[in-house]
Amino acid sequence: MLDQVVSTFLFAFASFIPVLNPFGGAMFFLALTPNIDQETRKMMVNRIVFYSMIIMLVSLFAGHLILSFFGISMGVLRVGGGLVLISAGWKALNEATHDDTENSTIEPPKSRKKLLSMAFYPITLPLTMGPGMIAVSTAIGTGMIGHGTANLIGCLLATVATLLTVYVCYRYCDRVSQAVGATGADALSRVFAFILLCIGISIFWQGFSELWLSMPKM
């Protein structure tokens, strides 16, 4: 049984991490929340991990049923998630620089309430738990859970390990900003905001292509 638990854990964890890309997500999180205080960052990360846990567990245990009940295909999910990422990436790409923020009195910094409201949308869904992660969790849950206690334990352990990885990467993403300084942090924010925009376009195009190919032939 122990061998089966370890095997399932390694399979699930190795499937989650590449799709999730927690380090890349942490950089996007940093780009969307520049210059926030440590207490607010901690509160946001706690919420992100909690929301991610809910989404992962629901996807593992009931993802296929929920999508089928609402008639939502993976193509539709990818199109919706891609549009949200495009919007978030474009907004982050056009954020004021660190110097502009310091010298401007026109646009005040985001309040803690506003930042905390961003924890679920768009940071948890679809930035962290995007269509790909939901699809992988749903597939693993369908194939593993219900096929023995060892598989169930392995999947749950992989979920815990994945969430811990997200917490560490997101919680301490500001260390990169501190290491490179304000100018470097602004540059990194622009780079990752642009990458986020490109990822959104890629996800949207993948979903659109699936929907286009599924259309009935004339």
Side-chain angles (χ1 to χ4, degrees):
M1 179 177 176
L2 181 60
D3 290 342
Q4 184 62 36
V5 169
V6 173
S7 176
T8 302
F9 166 79
L10 293 176
F11 173 78
F13 186 69
S15 300
F16 290 152
I17 292 299
V19 177
L20 182 62
N21 188 14
F23 179 75
M27 293 299 99
F28 299 141
F29 171 57
L30 183 64
L32 293 172
T33 57
N35 307 318
I36 66 174
D37 60 273
Q38 290 297 322
E39 184 62 27
T40 303
R41 185 185 304 280
K42 182 179 179 181
M43 293 173 66
M44 288 190 71
V45 172
N46 289 340
R47 291 193 179 195
I48 291 168
V49 171
F50 175 75
Y51 294 146
S52 298
M53 178 187 68
I54 297 299
I55 292 173
M56 286 190 71
L57 291 177
V58 170
S59 299
L60 283 170
F61 289 96
H64 181 70
L65 294 175
I66 292 174
L67 293 180
S68 299
F69 178 79
F70 288 103
I72 300 174
S73 66
M74 289 309 302
V76 172
L77 192 66
R78 288 190 175 97
V79 168
L83 289 173
V84 173
L85 290 182
I86 290 170
S87 175
W90 180 260
K91 185 176 181 180
L93 192 62
N94 291 279
E95 284 281 351
T97 64
H98 181 77
D99 292 336
D100 291 340
T101 303
E102 287 183 344
N103 297 328
S104 174
T105 58
I106 298 176
E107 184 178 353
K110 293 184 178 72
S111 65
R112 175 174 291 186
K113 182 178 179 181
K114 174 65 175 178
L115 289 167
L116 291 177
S117 70
M118 293 171 58
F120 181 77
Y121 168 82
I123 296 175
T124 301
L125 185 72
L127 178 56
T128 304
M129 294 290 147
M133 190 63 186
I134 293 174
V136 169
S137 300
T138 301
I140 289 178
T142 303
M144 294 287 185
I145 295 175
H147 295 78
T149 305
N151 288 331
L152 174 61
I153 295 174
C155 285
L156 292 177
L157 289 176
T159 300
V160 172
T162 301
L163 294 172
L164 285 175
T165 305
V166 171
Y167 179 85
V168 171
C169 290
Y170 281 50
R171 179 69 180 86
Y172 301 106
C173 65
D174 59 315
R175 302 294 176 87
V176 177
S177 176
Q178 294 172 1
V180 299
T183 302
D186 284 334
L188 282 176
S189 295
R190 304 296 175 183
V191 169
F192 280 101
F194 179 71
I195 294 174
L196 179 61
L197 178 65
C198 294
I199 290 174
I201 294 173
S202 176
I203 293 174
F204 170 82
W205 184 253
Q206 185 180 1
F208 177 79
S209 299
E210 291 179 12
L211 296 177
W212 181 265
L213 293 174
S214 66
M215 291 179 64
K217 304 296 182 181
M218 297 298 292

